[in-house]
Amino acid sequence: MTRAPRFAQAHAAESGPPAAATALTYVGSEICVVCHETQAKLWSGSHHQLAMDHATDKSVLGDFANATFEHYGVKSRFYRRDGKFFVETDGPDGRLAEFEIKYTFGLTPLQQYLIEFPDGRLQALSIAWDSRPKDKGGQRWFHLYPNEEVGHDDILHWTKLNQNWNFMCAECHSTGVRKNYDAAKDSFATTWAEISVGCETCHGQGSAHVAWAHAHPGWLPSNGAGGSKGLTVNFGERKNAAWMIDPATGNATRSATPATLRKEVETCGFCHARRGTIAEDWVSGQWLSDTHVASPLSDGLYFADGQMEDEVYNYGSFKQSKMFAKGVTCSDCHDPHSAKLKLPGDGVCLQCHAADKYAVAAHSRHEGVSPPVGCPACHMPTRTYMVVDPRHDHSLRIPRPDLTVALGTPNACNACHADKTALWAADAVQSWHGPTRKGFQHYAQAFHDAWGDGADAGALLEAAASDPETPGFARAGALAELAPSLRPYNLGVAKSSLADLDPMVRIGALDMLGGAEPQQIWPLAAPLLSDPVRGVRIRAADLLAAVPPALQPAADREAFDRASQEFVAAQKLNADRPEARLTLGSFYARTGRTAEAESEYKSALKLAPQFAPAYVNLADLYRQTDRDKEGEAVLRTALAASPTDAGLHYALGLALIRQKRREDALFELRQAAKLAPQSAHYVFVYAMALDSTGRSEQAQQVLTDSLDAHQGNLEILGALVQMSLKSGDRASALPYAERMLRVMPEDQNIRGFVEELRRAAKP
């Protein structure tokens, strides 16, 4: 691992240059100490400063005194030799071997350890040290997947892709990381500017600041503003803005309207967001979407009401909050250098919420409870990750046990009152505040219906996406969820969102257009090929790659080529990941570069032999080039390794249908529908295959059995309408058609058809 320092000399202190300043050779954050001693003291010993370190007596917290730990029959041993730290554990081949611990990772409540391999990979050991006090359950070794047997051939094994520091961890635990992956050699030469999170992570490269300091010896704040002082970003959002509490409500209002681009939030999001990297030329204070793709509110990452489910960190949660909408920023609550709260207890909240209104039993309804219930318990409930790490949800919401009753989302009340039902909690809240529930996050039903094929999903998502009061982060998610429901009558939602000030919303609008006809897409999306934010540009290029060259206006060709080059560069930056190889292969396939597409798919499989989507896409590429037999062989190879993958069975079923081997195809399609009942499309295709072989009654039964899970799915409803009509049962067709109308109330064709069926049903 190579260090790549950016600073060559120390710069002048605010009271004048230190003795022999030009002779000093500080690097990284060390140089900042010269002028910013107070901030440096706060930073020293913080989670940021200790995010990563060399394994030394000072940094290693774990027990390496020949300690042992056993997990599913694998007995690991931790020990020291010649001043170094070692672990004996199962290696990439499953056999016990010795590995040297080269680096520590994190501090508390757990510490992980990194092991370096000859090809430049650093891998994070899945056995971590619980650094909490012993009386809190700590001071022990534990496995990050305590209830799973993670063998050497599992992608979650510590030696595999998903535990790779170079891709998964480095950018957020060190400063100025350059991954430097060599695709030809499948190796890394990763560098950093500082081993941990230093000043430049947030303030940008400091060379210009050093030059400014040398040009202004003896500068003091009293001498003048000093301009930008050579810094790449000025975090001045809190200057000239005050929070004034209204005595009537007890709530504060910001004296100045917050900026659209919230520099602090975007900068903190660089590490505190669930995102993927598309470029390494990050500039602090700019939109995160320029160099990263932040995951919007989506199934599996968040609950339907926007509470965090998977490990999503704080960016997406906070951007859903009323606090963010009103102008609160990260440093209103946290000291940016120590990352600690600026005030103890509920003091942070009481900066803006009057104590006489909120720090009273009339508000908390928990008078006399010991220990006292603080604001976070109700408004920032925790969810535990990595076994021992509870993290607060930063969406700062009111408790909604009524949504738990209706939708199954979690709530803060039952997090404490686990012995009570959600209905009990909902009744209590209603008795205190009345039957009407108010809350800033009002889109739970929309996402719940979208993820469960609810009949009202389209209308609810459209309402959420078009409501300016909906947080942009949630609007982005709603727009993406609307893609399968894109219709002429809701196209306007996508059009207006393409011009939104939030780049995540613009990206969501492009996602929504994914199902549009090629001739429809280009005039809508082409202007975004020149968007000021890179993430928007590359999403536009990816979307427009589906448009045949003959339909691409010559005037836009240069912009498309530029954005396409950025898209390709983003995938090549992540060429160590099978997902990026798959994405690039798909792009090449859509633009007619089939040989390059095939190469990318095969490279993805070389990186991850069990990566099913690459097999599916490779087989589909063979279909496009009349090589169905080769496609079948590819899919059968994949199924031998992953027999329960529904997508592989589905793809094989389609390949067999094309070869007119219908019985074999039916078996595969039935397996797909059985393994993934949540996929309405798999159920639909299986039923259509049954119907095509004369088994119409069985097909209809398959579809009706799936209706409870897919009440608003148009494919299933449409198929049931057609099958009912085919059998001469117009009366049975009517309720299915009426359901379709509920899903698409603006569709005049469906409305006319329903009216026709209703007239026919009258005696």
Side-chain angles (χ1 to χ4, degrees):
M1 194 58 52
T2 304
R3 183 177 193 171
R6 293 184 182 142
F7 287 129
Q9 294 178 322
H11 64 72
E14 291 183 357
S15 59
T22 55
L24 298 177
T25 55
Y26 296 107
V27 293
S29 296
E30 296 170 11
I31 194 171
C32 301
V33 176
V34 176
C35 291
H36 306 287
E37 184 177 357
T38 301
Q39 290 89 339
K41 284 180 179 178
L42 290 169
W43 170 77
S44 180
S46 69
H47 283 255
H48 288 157
Q49 193 255 328
L50 298 173
M52 182 172 170
D53 205 347
H54 297 277
T56 65
D57 290 343
K58 182 179 178 181
S59 65
V60 172
L61 301 179
D63 179 4
F64 280 81
N66 209 35
T68 59
F69 175 79
E70 187 168 347
H71 183 258
Y72 283 91
V74 177
K75 190 173 183 179
S76 301
R77 184 168 62 94
F78 299 85
Y79 54 97
R80 298 189 61 175
R81 189 177 66 242
D82 301 327
K84 297 179 180 180
F85 298 84
F86 294 89
V87 60
E88 182 183 60
T89 191
D90 58 331
D93 58 0
R95 298 177 181 177
L96 289 179
E98 179 183 84
F99 301 95
E100 182 185 351
I101 303 294
K102 294 298 291 287
Y103 303 96
T104 61
F105 218 52
L107 181 68
T108 183
L110 71 152
Q111 185 174 71
Q112 284 187 268
Y113 300 96
L114 302 180
I115 293 167
E116 190 170 23
F117 283 79
D119 57 5
R121 296 172 202 276
L122 288 183
Q123 298 293 132
L125 197 65
S126 295
I127 305 170
W129 178 253
D130 186 339
S131 53
R132 300 173 300 167
K134 197 164 188 176
D135 61 358
K136 301 292 185 183
Q139 301 302 297
R140 66 187 177 102
W141 292 104
F142 71 100
H143 201 283
L144 293 170
Y145 304 98
N147 302 315
E148 300 179 50
E149 182 176 5
V150 184
H152 70 282
D153 55 352
D154 192 311
I155 197 162
L156 293 177
H157 191 260
W158 74 271
T159 61
K160 296 296 189 287
L161 278 171
N162 281 7
Q163 307 297 343
N164 172 244
W165 168 88
N166 310 71
F167 172 83
M168 298 290 293
C169 322
E171 191 176 50
C172 290
H173 280 255
S174 299
T175 302
V177 171
R178 293 295 180 266
K179 185 166 59 173
N180 295 329
Y181 174 70
D182 186 328
K185 298 179 180 178
D186 188 23
S187 64
F188 295 89
T190 305
T191 64
W192 58 55
E194 285 189 76
I195 192 171
S196 64
V197 177
C199 304
E200 289 187 305
T201 299
C202 301
H203 295 283
Q205 293 188 20
S207 53
H209 183 48
V210 171
W212 174 88
H214 280 299
H216 297 79
W219 178 86
L220 289 171
S222 58
N223 295 343
S228 69
K229 305 181 186 69
L231 294 170
T232 60
V233 60
N234 175 25
F235 293 113
E237 293 164 288
R238 297 176 65 236
K239 293 181 179 178
N240 303 317
W243 290 90
M244 307 301 294
I245 295 180
D246 180 348
T249 64
N251 293 319
T253 302
R254 198 174 192 267
S255 62
T257 302
T260 301
L261 170 59
R262 307 281 283 281
K263 296 178 182 179
E264 279 191 21
V265 176
E266 296 303 300
T267 297
C268 294
F270 176 72
C271 290
H272 294 278
R274 180 72 172 254
R275 83 294 186 276
T277 306
I278 55 175
E280 291 181 329
D281 55 347
W282 157 256
V283 176
S284 302
Q286 297 303 308
W287 288 108
L288 179 64
S289 296
D290 193 53
T291 51
H292 295 76
V293 177
S295 302
L297 203 164
S298 51
D299 193 14
L301 296 183
Y302 296 87
F303 291 103
D305 62 349
Q307 291 186 76
M308 60 185 189
E309 181 178 3
D310 202 2
E311 196 172 7
V312 293
Y313 314 102
N314 301 329
Y315 176 82
S317 298
F318 184 58
K319 291 188 80 170
Q320 294 178 65
S321 71
K322 188 175 183 178
M323 308 300 111
F324 174 81
K326 295 296 184 182
V328 174
T329 193
C330 307
S331 64
D332 281 315
C333 303
H334 296 273
D335 181 278
H337 298 103
S338 69
K340 294 179 179 179
L341 290 175
K342 297 182 74 172
L343 293 167
D346 291 337
V348 166
C349 303
L350 297 178
Q351 294 179 109
C352 292
H353 302 285
D356 63 344
K357 297 284 186 182
Y358 290 97
V360 293
H363 175 72
S364 72
R365 309 285 175 164
H366 286 76
E367 185 175 13
V369 174
S370 182
V373 175
C375 306
C378 296
H379 300 291
M380 300 180 70
T382 61
R383 192 171 179 84
T384 299
Y385 300 96
M386 302 184 81
V387 185
V388 298
D389 192 3
R391 301 177 195 169
H392 287 282
D393 191 312
H394 278 60
S395 54
L396 298 137
R397 60 185 64 234
I398 64 171
R400 293 293 303 272
D402 59 306
L403 290 181
T404 306
V405 174
L407 308 177
T409 52
N411 74 85
C413 304
N414 291 115
C416 288
H417 299 283
D419 59 327
K420 304 292 187 180
T421 66
L423 183 59
W424 169 86
D427 287 344
V429 173
Q430 181 169 323
S431 71
W432 298 333
H433 301 288
T436 303
R437 295 277 67 75
K438 296 178 181 179
F440 187 69
Q441 299 93 356
H442 54 269
Y443 34 80
Q445 190 71 55
F447 284 96
H448 176 271
D449 284 12
W451 300 341
D453 270 340
D456 297 326
L460 291 170
L461 287 169
E462 182 182 350
S466 57
D467 184 354
E469 295 299 312
T470 302
F473 187 83
R475 281 189 286 135
L479 288 162
E481 295 291 347
L482 274 168
S485 305
L486 181 67
R487 301 290 183 273
Y489 62 80
N490 63 20
L491 187 60
V493 179
K495 287 181 179 179
S496 61
S497 299
L498 289 171
D500 197 273
L501 295 176
D502 187 334
M504 282 195 69
V505 175
R506 301 199 294 276
I507 292 170
L510 291 168
D511 290 338
M512 183 178 173
L513 292 174
E517 294 298 322
Q519 61 270 24
Q520 192 178 32
I521 298 176
W522 196 275
L524 295 174
L528 277 77
L529 291 168
S530 300
D531 193 274
V533 176
R534 177 170 16 208
V536 180
R537 296 194 297 270
I538 69 170
R539 181 65 186 98
D542 188 25
L543 177 67
L544 293 172
V547 179
L551 299 178
Q552 297 178 5
D556 297 327
R557 190 73 212 185
E558 185 178 347
F560 176 73
D561 288 343
R562 282 198 309 268
S564 295
Q565 289 171 9
E566 288 184 303
F567 175 85
V568 171
Q571 310 318 313
K572 289 188 173 182
L573 173 65
N574 295 304
D576 54 314
R577 296 295 300 182
E579 302 91 344
R581 294 297 187 104
L582 176 75
T583 300
L584 183 55
S586 177
F587 182 83
Y588 285 152
R590 281 177 286 135
T591 52
R593 300 158 69 176
T594 55
E596 290 166 282
E598 182 175 0
S599 175
E600 290 300 323
Y601 294 150
K602 288 181 175 179
S603 294
L605 292 172
K606 186 177 180 181
L607 288 170
Q610 293 180 323
F611 187 52
Y615 287 107
V616 171
N617 279 27
L618 181 58
D620 191 60
L621 186 71
Y622 288 155
R623 173 193 63 79
Q624 296 172 38
T625 52
D626 297 321
R627 299 157 69 187
D628 255 330
K629 281 288 187 183
E630 289 180 66
E632 178 186 350
V634 163
L635 293 169
R636 291 196 182 281
T637 297
L639 278 167
S642 305
T644 60
D645 190 292
L648 293 172
H649 285 286
Y650 174 74
L652 180 56
L654 295 182
L656 293 170
I657 284 177
R658 291 191 294 271
Q659 297 178 48
K660 303 190 185 306
R661 294 159 58 186
R662 294 190 174 183
E663 289 304 314
D664 291 341
L666 275 175
F667 173 81
E668 299 298 336
L669 295 175
R670 180 171 63 250
Q671 287 296 102
K674 181 180 177 181
L675 289 167
Q678 73 277 10
S679 171
H681 186 65
Y682 290 175
V683 173
F684 166 76
V685 171
Y686 173 49
M688 292 298 95
L690 286 170
D691 188 58
S692 70
T693 58
R695 305 171 204 184
S696 299
E697 288 187 14
Q698 186 180 349
Q700 196 162 359
Q701 189 62 51
V702 167
L703 294 173
T704 54
D705 288 347
S706 72
L707 270 181
D708 283 344
H710 306 290
Q711 296 179 27
N713 185 269
L714 293 174
E715 280 187 324
I716 290 175
L717 291 171
L720 285 167
V721 167
Q722 294 303 317
M723 288 181 183
S724 298
L725 293 176
K726 187 171 70 172
S727 65
D729 189 355
R730 295 174 71 85
S732 293
L734 177 57
Y736 300 132
E738 289 175 330
R739 286 201 195 187
M740 293 180 70
L741 184 61
R742 182 181 169 189
V743 177
M744 296 197 300
E746 305 296 326
D747 194 305
Q748 296 305 312
N749 291 328
I750 295 178
R751 184 171 296 280
F753 180 62
V754 168
E755 291 173 355
E756 179 187 335
L757 288 176
R758 286 172 177 168
R759 286 193 298 269
K762 291 181 180 179

